[in-house]
Amino acid sequence: MRKILEELAETGYSSTYENIWLTDFKSVPVDIDTFVCDPYYLGSVNRNGDAVYPFWRKTLREIFSAGNKYNEIILSGATRIGKSSTAIIIMAYMLYRLMMYRNPHTYFQKKEISKFSIVFANLTKDLALGVAYREFQDTLRASPFFNEHGSFTRSDRNFYYVPEGNNIEIIAVSDGAQALGKQVWAVFIDEISFARSGVKDINKAKEHMKRLYDTVNARVSGTFRLGGEVYGKLIAGSSKNQDNDFLSTHIETQLNSGNTHLYIVDQPQWKILPPSMFSEKKFHFTVGDRYKRGFVIPEENDDDAHIQEY
């Protein structure tokens, strides 16, 4: 440590620090900001980072600057705020990190014949292979790094990425049984839509999703645990709708149990989207209940006395 600090103080670069990383990595992994902004990674699809809202840039830093603190990430809140796109960035960065290990099987003490899995999960296989999966594949195809370190199948419409080394697979699952025996490094459960999947028994479908969620979560936390830290990640995208309310119960249970490895985003549009998208004018409103209707407070009554009365 002293030698590293002396080298950094003298030249701003430490070969000792670099060599420690290179014991386990092919090259020192770049940080999340570089990964998002640099055209060699995802910059070409994110306008060098400008297409990612500042809120999400901050969220990504908080998740990854904390090392392995957060292994369960729930992106909730309003619709059309960039939850799925942010999850795709996380999934791509997790794939990149895994590909940077010199020998991941040795590092994580796994059999050489086993494959590591990047998983997209949903209520049905069609939903799992839906928008998020396709955007993920399109994102990788636009990245010079992933093109240099893997290949794409020949299909023009249903192509998918094959990382070099043949020890990482990118798959879609719709049932917990399909994840059993898998070495799940990262999983994304996208927003569930019972309507789109034609579900008739809602309660049964919610139980199915809860089992799927618990199974893949256990695969992540159980497979890639070293020194008390979990290296893999589960990401769930959830809007405020009845389809995803099983997650609300899960979140409440985890928070009540003191789970510090759960990272939650639950914000309205105006906290996430840039201020330029909204009018600067603001107003107060009352919240209704079963006896009274809510309403916007008239401008002439928008003062402390009236607000207190309301």
Side-chain angles (χ1 to χ4, degrees):
M1 177 62 74
R2 179 175 175 178
K3 186 175 181 182
I4 289 170
L5 293 174
E6 288 173 347
E7 290 172 350
L8 289 172
E10 185 174 342
T11 66
Y13 170 79
S14 171
S15 60
T16 304
Y17 178 78
E18 182 101 359
N19 288 332
I20 289 173
W21 273 96
L22 295 180
T23 302
D24 298 312
F25 288 85
K26 298 171 185 175
S27 63
V28 181
V30 300
D31 61 31
I32 188 63
D33 276 303
T34 303
F35 186 75
V36 169
C37 299
D38 192 323
Y40 181 60
Y41 300 102
L42 299 192
S44 59
V45 294
N46 290 320
R47 297 205 311 274
N48 298 332
D50 290 342
V52 183
Y53 296 141
F55 176 92
W56 293 120
R57 294 284 300 277
K58 178 174 177 289
T59 296
L60 291 167
R61 288 188 205 107
E62 288 178 352
I63 291 170
F64 288 105
S65 66
N68 295 316
K69 179 179 179 180
Y70 303 113
N71 57 269
E72 190 176 354
I73 301 158
I74 297 177
L75 308 179
S76 186
T79 59
R80 310 304 302 167
I81 56 175
K83 299 188 297 293
S84 293
S85 294
T86 302
I88 287 166
I89 291 174
I90 296 173
M91 293 287 282
Y93 189 58
M94 290 297 291
L95 172 59
Y96 159 74
R97 291 285 296 237
L98 183 59
M99 293 172 66
M100 284 293 95
Y101 280 99
R102 190 175 295 278
N103 191 329
H105 291 86
T106 299
Y107 192 91
F108 292 108
Q109 303 168 19
K110 304 301 175 189
K111 295 179 180 179
E112 294 289 342
I113 60 171
S114 62
K115 286 191 175 186
F116 303 117
S117 300
I118 305 293
V119 177
F120 288 77
N122 212 309
L123 186 64
T124 68
K125 197 70 171 285
D126 285 343
L127 288 176
L129 289 168
V131 176
Y133 177 87
R134 285 263 50 94
E135 185 176 334
F136 179 75
Q137 298 290 348
D138 289 336
T139 298
L140 299 186
R141 190 159 71 166
S143 165
F145 168 84
F146 288 107
N147 278 274
E148 286 181 17
H149 296 277
S151 60
F152 293 87
T153 55
R154 295 182 180 276
S155 171
D156 290 333
R157 293 186 60 187
N158 297 316
F159 64 88
Y160 59 89
Y161 184 61
V162 182
E164 63 184 359
N166 199 34
N167 59 12
I168 302 172
E169 61 180 2
I170 301 170
I171 60 174
V173 304
S174 59
D175 189 278
Q178 297 166 3
L180 292 177
K182 299 289 186 182
Q183 316 284 354
V184 180
W185 170 252
V187 56
F188 177 36
I189 300 179
D190 201 2
E191 294 189 24
I192 300 143
S193 174
F194 294 153
R196 275 192 294 152
S197 58
V199 166
K200 294 182 173 59
D201 190 333
I202 301 296
N203 290 328
K204 188 175 180 179
K206 289 179 182 178
E207 291 174 6
H208 174 90
M209 283 308 302
K210 180 67 167 61
R211 286 194 300 271
L212 172 59
Y213 187 100
D214 290 343
T215 299
V216 293
N217 197 16
R219 300 306 304 172
V220 169
S221 59
T223 305
F224 293 98
R225 184 185 296 274
L226 285 177
E229 295 185 355
V230 176
Y231 285 65
K233 294 194 188 309
L234 177 148
I235 307 100
S238 169
S239 291
K240 300 293 187 181
N241 61 52
Q242 189 179 16
D243 291 359
N244 291 319
D245 64 5
F246 77 92
L247 269 181
S248 301
T249 303
H250 173 75
I251 292 170
E252 185 178 359
T253 301
Q254 293 301 307
L255 293 179
N256 289 338
S257 68
N259 186 344
T260 59
H261 304 293
L262 180 66
Y263 187 97
I264 303 172
V265 173
D266 187 3
Q267 297 290 349
Q269 284 185 341
W270 57 90
K271 293 282 182 131
I272 294 178
L273 301 179
S276 59
M277 297 183 69
F278 301 97
S279 166
E280 293 182 358
K281 187 176 181 180
K282 298 183 179 180
F283 55 87
H284 287 98
F285 63 92
T286 67
V287 179
D289 55 28
R290 68 175 63 184
Y291 305 109
K292 295 175 292 186
R293 293 181 62 183
F295 61 92
V296 174
I297 296 176
E299 190 170 349
E300 62 271 17
N301 292 344
D302 197 349
D303 54 61
D304 290 342
H306 278 96
I307 288 174
Q308 186 63 37
E309 179 184 342
Y310 292 135

